């Protein structure tokens, strides 16, 4: 809860989620140490928490420090053009391989059934037709 | 030295690398040590140290591991061989800059007409 606003700003700024998670986790641990230090200094409850949060830094300062490091940004933030250029062909290729693999699997099972002299309930053309319908 | 460098950039990095040369430390510990050694002259928001630490780790200058001590789990950072080289280079730059500033502040004849 302490870092909800910061999390949102970092994600909107394009920082990769895994870097955001790591940053916030370490900030949270640091805040625990600072709060304990304030308690040892005589502050209690809310006072200690407020003073600790102030020492950790404001959201602006903490967000700027992370956003300044461009290498922690996600690919979609760093090179959106690359994602739109490369993702569709890769997805199409993966889908094509899935269809071909499925057809090959059905053919294989069908051939095995035939070899074992088991009566095939449907021919391979039937299964191919079903797969084709599923694909489109 | 042909390389141009800004006055403050690299100083927090130098402090981190120098502290971690002696032994591994976690973020809070590093911040406290910097404040103690610099008499709190260098005291930004304490949380801003993490992007720096993560950046140095990504560069291979530091390595990290999660360790539990006295029931508290924390990320400890330590210097790598690459980090030691970087520290050496940065120390050289800052020593040169320090010498230049001292000479400047001392004043005296410029020897320029």
């Amino acid at each position: 809860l302490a870092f909800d606003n910061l999390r949102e700003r970092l994600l909107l700024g394009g920082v990769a989620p895994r870097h955001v998670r790591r940053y916030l986790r370490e900030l949270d641990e640091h805040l625990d140490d600072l709060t304990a230090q304030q308690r040892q200094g005589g502050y209690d409850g809310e006072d200690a928490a407020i003073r600790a949060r102030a020492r950790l830094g404001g959201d602006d300062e903490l967000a700027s420090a992370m956003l300044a490091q461009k290498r922690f940004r996600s690919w979609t933030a760093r090179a959106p053009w690359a994602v739109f250029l490369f993702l569709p062909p890769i997805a199409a290729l993966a889908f094509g391989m899935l269809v071909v693999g499925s057809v090959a699997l059905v053919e294989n099972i069908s051939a095995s059934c035939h070899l074992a002299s088991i009566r095939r309930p449907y021919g391979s053309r039937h299964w191919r037709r079903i797969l084709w319908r599923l694909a489109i | 030295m042909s390389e141009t460098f800004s006055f403050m950039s690299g100083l927090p990095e130098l402090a981190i690398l120098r502290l971690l040369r002696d032994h591994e430390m976690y973020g809070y510990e590093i911040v406290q040590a910097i404040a103690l050694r610099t008499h709190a002259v260098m005291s930004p928001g304490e949380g801003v140290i993490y992007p720096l630490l993560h950046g140095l780790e990504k560069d291979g200058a530091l390595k990290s591991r999660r360790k539990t001590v006295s029931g508290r789990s924390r990320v400890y950072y330590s210097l790598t061989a690459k980090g030691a080289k970087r520290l050496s280079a940065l120390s050289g730059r800052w020593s040169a800059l320090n010498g230049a500033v001292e000479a400047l502040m001392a004043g005296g004849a410029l020897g320029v007409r």
Side-chain angles (χ1 to χ4, degrees):
Chain A
L1 278 172
F3 301 114
D4 278 354
N5 184 33
L6 179 62
R7 174 186 289 112
E8 198 179 329
R9 283 179 66 173
L10 293 173
L11 291 172
L12 283 173
V15 179
R18 66 193 171 98
H19 290 300
V20 174
R21 276 195 298 274
R22 184 181 176 189
Y23 186 33
L24 297 189
R25 187 170 178 192
E26 286 185 81
L27 284 178
D28 202 39
E29 288 163 3
H30 196 118
L31 189 61
D32 284 347
D33 282 323
L34 281 173
T35 309
Q37 188 193 39
Q38 294 301 317
R39 285 202 179 115
Q40 280 173 3
Y43 297 96
D44 59 349
E46 207 175 331
D47 271 354
I50 290 168
R51 290 177 68 89
R53 188 66 178 82
R55 277 191 52 184
L56 189 68
D59 281 354
D60 284 343
E61 194 177 9
L62 296 173
S64 301
M66 194 57 166
L67 291 169
Q69 303 248 8
K70 295 204 171 13
R71 56 196 161 162
F72 293 137
R73 306 235 174 134
S74 62
W75 274 105
T76 46
R78 268 191 287 183
W81 58 269
V83 174
F84 287 111
L85 191 71
F86 296 122
L87 204 61
I90 291 171
L93 188 70
F95 181 72
M97 285 169 74
L98 186 74
V99 170
V100 168
S102 303
V103 169
L105 184 71
V106 168
E107 291 280 355
N108 219 352
I109 291 169
S110 198
S112 301
C113 289
H114 181 68
L115 282 174
S117 302
I118 298 168
R119 189 174 166 270
R120 282 180 288 173
Y122 300 105
S124 60
R125 280 180 66 188
H126 172 80
W127 288 110
R128 219 178 292 153
R129 212 178 305 134
I130 288 175
L131 277 169
W132 180 247
R133 277 184 195 157
L134 282 172
I136 58 172
Chain B
M1 195 178 292
S2 61
E3 194 181 346
T4 308
F5 50 91
S6 63
F7 281 101
M8 283 303 283
S9 72
L11 191 53
E13 185 182 322
L14 175 71
I16 291 168
L17 294 174
R18 176 60 190 86
L19 284 168
L20 293 175
R21 194 182 74 175
D22 300 334
H23 56 92
E24 65 174 7
M25 296 169 104
Y26 55 94
Y28 174 80
E29 216 178 358
I30 295 169
V31 172
Q32 302 311 309
I34 290 174
L36 193 71
R37 289 202 191 181
T38 64
H39 304 288
V41 169
M42 283 172 69
S43 56
E46 297 191 7
V48 302
I49 197 168
Y50 294 103
L52 263 174
L53 288 169
H54 298 174
L56 285 167
E57 188 183 9
K58 207 170 171 99
D59 289 343
L62 300 181
K63 60 183 177 185
S64 71
R65 65 179 178 135
R66 189 161 274 282
K67 199 166 89 171
T68 303
V69 177
S70 308
R72 290 288 308 272
S73 168
R74 294 180 174 114
V75 178
Y76 281 77
Y77 294 89
S78 57
L79 201 67
T80 62
K82 199 172 173 184
K85 276 186 192 167
R86 193 155 162 169
L87 171 63
S88 175
L90 267 175
S91 300
R93 283 189 199 175
W94 276 96
S95 295
L97 183 64
N98 192 38
V101 172
E102 274 182 13
L104 189 72
M105 298 308 282
L110 290 173
V112 177
R113 292 182 187 198

